[in-house]
Amino acid sequence: MPPLDTSPTLSAWRMMLALAVVFVFLATTGWTTIRDQSTPGETRESALAAWAHGRVGQRPLPDAAGPARTIAAFFASLSPAQRTRLADRYPLVVGNLNGVPVTLRYRANRVSLAHTLDAERSRVDDPRLNAEGLHEARRRVDRFRSLMSPGRQILAFDPAGTGRTAEVLGDLDRARRVSVIVPGVDTNLLTFQKTARMYSAPAGMATSLYAAEHRADPSARTAVIAWADYTAPVGVGIDAAIGRLAENGAVRLVDLTAALPGDARISLFCHSYGSVLCGVAASRLPARVTDVVVAGSPGMRAEHAADLATPARIWAMRDAGDWIADVPHLELGGVGHGADPVAPEFGARLLSAAGANGHAGYFEPGTGSLRNFAAIGVGAYGDLTCAAADSACRRGISGAEAA
């Protein structure tokens, strides 16, 4: 037996204690809390209050918190003109309401973006703003303008606080396979897309994956969703070490996947803290979610893949230079996210991440990680490259083992 002071168990406890102390310090000094941001213009809360009293003719509007199928049936009963009027009058509601036709959501969110852009422009001219506030207002103006660019399909948009959004690439109504990218920490409206290191941001990840799927199978009818429609942790602090935000986001992810149009198969690509969210959501995902892929994961709040209680295949990868490997894969008193998904005993199907180059490089064009993502996205399992020099990760998938 190893000496007590060098035993793996004691070392793990020491690491967790040190980690907990750091998280408590960061939280109490305010470094890891989400900053409250004033949002000019109408809020979604006020829009929902107005919606609750709205009518179409003599008919009341459906409960915005109701099932997506009820919302879908209501909108199906309306004329095109009635739908358009609702989108224009209640854009912050219609644009974020599961069950609403996706093209109508795109329209509503363009209306919301236009209203928010006008309100934000007025802030830029506000002499009361300090230098930091002015810089942020200008950044928000630039972001809203970009999201309104011709051809962009915004599936969700809420400017409150740090903001949430989701964007679709491809034809979501006709797609036979849909890939949903679930990003990690520091995801908000301002970081939704980046000029430098563009493939480390949700919009760039989606652009890269959509192009890679087309290369993998040009005939496949695919769509990709950059899903930043949850409140993510800010920095690697207490919110990133516990599951509260993942639990809240999991509800939204389950609702999204259950309400997507048609019967397309869905694959989730969950990066960093996004994999925590996907793990929390796993047992509630609809059967049409066939694959859950985690990259650079701190854990899925489970000790084994089987504990996720989902029929979806669980895939995992990590680049050799990814710093997340040094994070203790433990859970103690709600701190930490459990076992390492790339550990063989976890039971995930292990994929190669060749060329990913660190924690933020998994969606970079030309990498083995991106090629593997694309193969799963189009259902080409025989083209996958496993982490080991064998076909173990493809085992049990019809037509893929011997490929």
Side-chain angles (χ1 to χ4, degrees):
M1 188 173 81
L4 182 62
D5 61 352
T6 61
S7 71
T9 302
L10 184 58
S11 297
W13 275 90
R14 283 175 171 167
M15 290 176 72
M16 286 302 297
L17 180 59
L19 196 62
V21 169
V22 170
F23 288 148
V24 169
F25 173 76
L26 291 174
T28 55
T29 56
W31 289 9
T32 63
T33 56
I34 295 173
R35 288 185 300 157
D36 181 32
Q37 293 178 315
S38 60
T39 302
E42 185 181 36
T43 64
R44 188 156 188 261
E45 288 70 24
S46 61
L48 285 167
W51 172 272
H53 296 94
R55 306 183 78 81
V56 172
Q58 300 303 311
R59 299 170 61 191
L61 301 180
D63 183 357
R69 63 180 179 274
T70 301
I71 303 295
F74 174 80
F75 275 86
S77 72
L78 302 178
S79 69
Q82 288 174 321
R83 294 176 199 155
T84 298
R85 282 196 294 271
L86 284 179
D88 291 348
R89 184 172 182 181
Y90 305 102
L92 274 174
V93 178
V94 175
N96 294 283
L97 203 53
N98 289 318
V100 172
V102 293
T103 52
L104 191 64
R105 289 181 67 170
Y106 301 157
R107 177 192 175 93
N109 285 320
R110 286 191 68 82
V111 173
S112 289
L113 277 161
H115 291 169
T116 309
L117 176 59
D118 286 344
E120 199 69 44
R121 280 190 182 124
S122 68
R123 290 188 71 220
V124 172
D125 297 325
D126 188 341
R128 295 171 296 176
L129 281 183
N130 60 21
E132 182 183 3
L134 178 60
H135 175 67
E136 186 163 291
R138 286 173 173 164
R139 289 182 66 198
R140 286 168 68 89
V141 165
D142 289 344
R143 177 62 64 248
F144 301 148
R145 280 177 178 155
S146 178
L147 292 174
M148 290 183 68
S149 298
R152 297 194 74 167
Q153 302 176 140
I154 306 303
L155 185 67
F157 172 71
D158 185 351
T162 56
R164 298 194 298 253
T165 193
E167 181 176 13
V168 175
L169 300 182
D171 188 338
L172 198 53
D173 283 318
R174 296 182 63 251
R176 301 304 303 147
R177 289 185 172 272
V178 176
S179 298
V180 182
I181 295 171
V182 184
V185 299
D186 290 328
T187 296
N188 54 54
L189 270 174
L190 294 181
T191 62
F192 182 71
Q193 62 191 57
K194 297 177 182 177
T195 302
R197 300 171 65 243
M198 66 177 292
Y199 302 114
S200 67
M205 292 174 177
T207 299
S208 183
L209 179 57
Y210 187 60
E213 288 182 352
H214 183 71
R215 289 192 297 270
D217 185 353
S219 66
R221 285 156 48 187
T222 64
V224 176
I225 302 175
W227 189 76
D229 193 24
Y230 82 104
T231 300
V234 176
V236 184
I238 189 66
D239 278 335
I242 62 177
R244 179 179 62 88
L245 295 179
E247 289 161 5
N248 294 341
V251 174
R252 302 179 69 83
L253 181 62
V254 170
D255 288 348
L256 168 83
T257 54
L260 289 178
D263 58 359
R265 294 186 178 186
I266 301 169
S267 299
L268 305 182
F269 297 89
C270 316
H271 177 243
S272 195
Y273 188 83
S275 68
V276 182
L277 191 159
C278 289
V280 173
S283 65
R284 291 168 280 160
L285 293 170
R288 63 194 296 200
V289 177
T290 57
D291 298 275
V292 177
V293 189
V294 301
S297 175
M300 300 182 75
R301 300 193 78 77
E303 291 306 304
H304 303 93
D307 297 337
L308 297 172
T310 175
R313 289 175 284 264
I314 305 298
W315 308 83
M317 66 168 68
R318 185 170 67 218
D319 178 67
D322 190 339
W323 58 262
I324 206 77
D326 297 325
V327 172
H329 285 87
L330 300 166
E331 188 278 326
L332 177 63
V335 178
H337 302 303
D340 186 350
V342 300
E345 57 270 22
F346 184 78
R349 298 170 181 268
L350 302 183
L351 292 164
S352 170
N357 192 25
H359 189 63
Y362 293 97
F363 289 85
E364 286 282 346
T367 57
S369 51
L370 180 64
R371 285 192 292 273
N372 275 332
F373 291 160
I376 290 173
V378 301
Y381 300 103
D383 295 337
L384 291 170
T385 302
C386 301
D390 56 30
S391 61
C393 71
R394 302 194 296 266
R395 189 169 296 134
I397 304 176
S398 177
E401 264 187 272

